[in-house]
Amino acid sequence: MRTADVIVLGAGMVGVSAALHLQARGREVVLVDRRGAGLETSFGNAGLIERSSIFPYLFPRDPAKLVKYALNLLPEAHYHLGALPSVAPWLMRYWRESAPERVKRSIAARRPLIEHSLIEHEELIRQAGAGALLRRPGWIKLFRREETLAAGVADAEKLRAYDLHIDILDARAVFEREPNLASVAGGVHYRDTAFVNDPGALARAYADLFSARGGRFVAADALTLEQEPDGRWSVAGPQGRIAARAAVVALGPWSDLIYRRYGYDMPLGFKRGYHMHYAPQSGATLHHPILDADNGYLLAPMARGVRLTSGAEFAPRDAPPTPVQIERCEPIARLLFPLGAALDAQPWKGARPCFPDMLPVLGEAPRHKGLWFDFGHAHHGLTLGPVSGRLLAEMMTGETPFTDPSPYAATRF
């Protein structure tokens, strides 16, 4: 049986980042994935390293909006009617965790991760020689109506207490930053956020750095994880089992397939999402990632083309794709920006792994020595991968953690 110090299960942004931080602390790490780095959830996001996202995504409290959501009338959210029996309990917990007094705790817990997120990425990007992937335009939240603009500005003003750089834009200022957009009421420019124009390529660059430093990548099924009689953890590789003193579950939306096996009951839910790429029409350029806040989709200037990303779909993780949000949003997006031909044969689908409090689970499994958790990053897997990896590696190697890890413990449920 081959051996290592740590087995990391999952080669998305979260898993690769954890592997790099453990490796930097002298651990011999084996990275396990059935495919390759950055080919699942890490592939299909908006590319934002969201340094300004201090406030979590909350369950809406507006009764009129809730009625529209219930009737599947708004493009930013969609649910499968047949999925309600399985989805509704999680949605109820999400609603409870979005209560004001609980949100305050969530903000306090997520703040140290968010505030260190870009710093940790910058260091790994430097080491990986991947600087060409990083942009610093910030992102712009657009509003079609004066009413929604006023609400968006009010939300932005609350963030100024966190030393963020925010510009409030009228229609003219939006045009100056994005001259190819149709007229809107205004927007908010969050300037601290960085942008990656190929998220999958960044995950692969980190994986290449891991391999160049002697790390082992094994194409294998993470679900073969077992605990050996001597307490070590092992997986079945192509050349036999590999054993280590510790194993890290960083499987994103598939993490429940491991932790439930060992008797842990955590409320992991899934916000599915879709994207499509389009060529811009001749002469048109998109300079920033743009969120159409009134319609719930985002346009991002990716290396492949302009990426249209959808809002959240509430459905079982593995249910067949139903990209109705892309179908609804594409005509609206074409009126906002001159999109040309679609560059993908069909929309890509992924699943954001979310806990009701919008915080990840980070730390050792309460009843299984050597089994560690690093998943549930909700909308911020790309943003939080490296900083989560640092915190996890500090805990695993006995360093003093840079922040109190207790808010992310599995025992909070």
Side-chain angles (χ1 to χ4, degrees):
M1 184 179 293
R2 302 171 68 188
T3 63
D5 294 323
V6 184
I7 297 169
V8 175
L9 305 174
M13 180 56 68
V14 172
V16 171
S17 298
L20 278 170
H21 276 286
L22 287 162
Q23 184 185 59
R25 287 160 175 79
R27 299 304 191 264
E28 183 183 358
V29 182
V30 173
L31 184 60
V32 174
D33 197 282
R34 61 185 178 181
R35 296 181 65 192
L39 294 177
E40 297 286 358
T41 309
S42 295
F43 176 81
N45 54 71
L48 300 178
I49 301 175
E50 241 298 44
R51 169 62 184 82
S52 58
S53 189
I54 301 292
F55 299 159
Y57 288 92
L58 301 178
F59 195 99
R61 317 294 272 192
D62 179 2
K65 213 168 189 182
L66 287 173
V67 170
K68 293 180 180 179
Y69 284 135
L71 297 175
N72 264 339
L73 296 178
L74 296 178
E76 66 260 32
H78 179 73
Y79 69 92
H80 291 189
L81 185 61
L84 274 182
S86 61
V87 172
W90 185 89
L91 289 174
M92 286 300 299
R93 294 189 71 162
Y94 184 22
W95 181 81
R96 289 198 300 270
E97 292 294 336
S98 296
E101 66 278 5
R102 298 194 180 198
V103 170
K104 289 180 182 178
R105 294 198 297 269
S106 179
I107 291 172
R110 70 193 279 113
R111 183 177 179 181
L113 299 182
I114 291 292
E115 289 185 337
H116 286 81
S117 61
L118 182 53
I119 295 170
E120 295 299 330
H121 263 292
E122 287 174 328
E123 181 57 26
L124 290 185
I125 286 171
R126 183 190 65 79
Q127 295 174 19
L133 297 173
L134 186 67
R135 305 283 189 273
R136 296 182 174 277
W139 68 284
I140 299 176
K141 192 173 185 177
L142 296 178
F143 300 91
R144 306 296 190 102
R145 298 178 288 117
E146 294 294 338
E147 177 187 1
T148 53
L149 174 61
V153 169
D155 288 341
E157 293 298 338
K158 296 175 186 176
L159 285 169
R160 292 197 188 277
Y162 298 93
D163 298 321
L164 295 171
H165 301 86
I166 303 169
D167 294 340
I168 306 303
L169 312 178
D170 60 15
R172 178 65 187 176
V174 172
F175 176 78
E176 289 172 353
R177 285 166 169 78
E178 291 289 353
N180 293 120
L181 292 182
S183 179
V184 295
V188 178
H189 188 179
Y190 293 94
R191 296 193 288 114
D192 298 275
T193 295
F195 170 67
V196 177
N197 69 353
D198 190 336
L202 184 63
R204 293 192 295 275
Y206 289 174
D208 289 344
L209 175 64
F210 169 76
S211 297
R213 292 179 170 175
R216 285 185 280 163
F217 178 86
V218 174
D221 187 351
L223 300 186
T224 62
L225 180 73
E226 294 180 358
Q227 189 168 28
E228 299 292 328
D230 62 3
R232 292 184 301 170
W233 297 89
S234 71
V235 293
Q239 299 175 342
R241 296 198 73 84
I242 305 166
R245 295 191 302 272
V248 176
V249 181
L251 293 168
W254 296 279
S255 297
D256 63 323
L257 300 179
I258 296 290
Y259 71 70
R260 292 188 190 282
R261 182 193 303 172
Y262 293 99
Y264 297 99
D265 183 17
M266 291 181 279
L268 186 65
F270 312 105
K271 291 186 180 182
R272 304 202 320 177
Y274 299 83
H275 79 228
M276 281 278 287
H277 292 98
Y278 302 84
Q281 291 185 22
S282 178
T285 302
L286 188 65
H287 301 285
H288 306 76
I290 298 291
L291 174 67
D292 184 345
D294 290 3
N295 292 293
Y297 67 88
L298 186 144
L299 296 176
M302 294 289 181
R304 176 166 168 73
V306 177
R307 179 179 288 185
L308 168 62
T309 68
S310 76
E313 180 182 58
F314 298 95
R317 176 192 55 218
D318 302 319
T322 51
V324 297
Q325 291 163 289
I326 294 289
E327 295 167 2
R328 290 179 181 177
C329 290
E330 180 184 324
I332 301 171
R334 288 186 179 278
L335 296 176
L336 178 67
F337 179 82
L339 296 174
L343 300 176
D344 303 322
Q346 59 188 12
W348 176 93
K349 174 184 72 69
R352 308 172 184 96
C354 304
F355 288 106
D357 58 5
M358 294 292 111
L359 295 172
V361 164
L362 281 167
E364 191 168 19
R367 300 186 302 276
H368 293 81
K369 184 175 177 57
L371 183 64
W372 294 79
F373 296 150
D374 187 2
F375 51 81
H377 294 76
H379 297 259
H380 294 114
L382 172 65
T383 295
L384 299 179
V387 70
S388 295
R390 172 186 167 180
L391 182 57
L392 184 79
E394 288 171 344
M395 288 189 281
M396 293 181 68
T397 59
E399 292 183 30
T400 300
F402 78 89
T403 189
D404 177 13
S406 62
Y408 323 116
T411 51
R412 73 182 189 267
F413 303 115

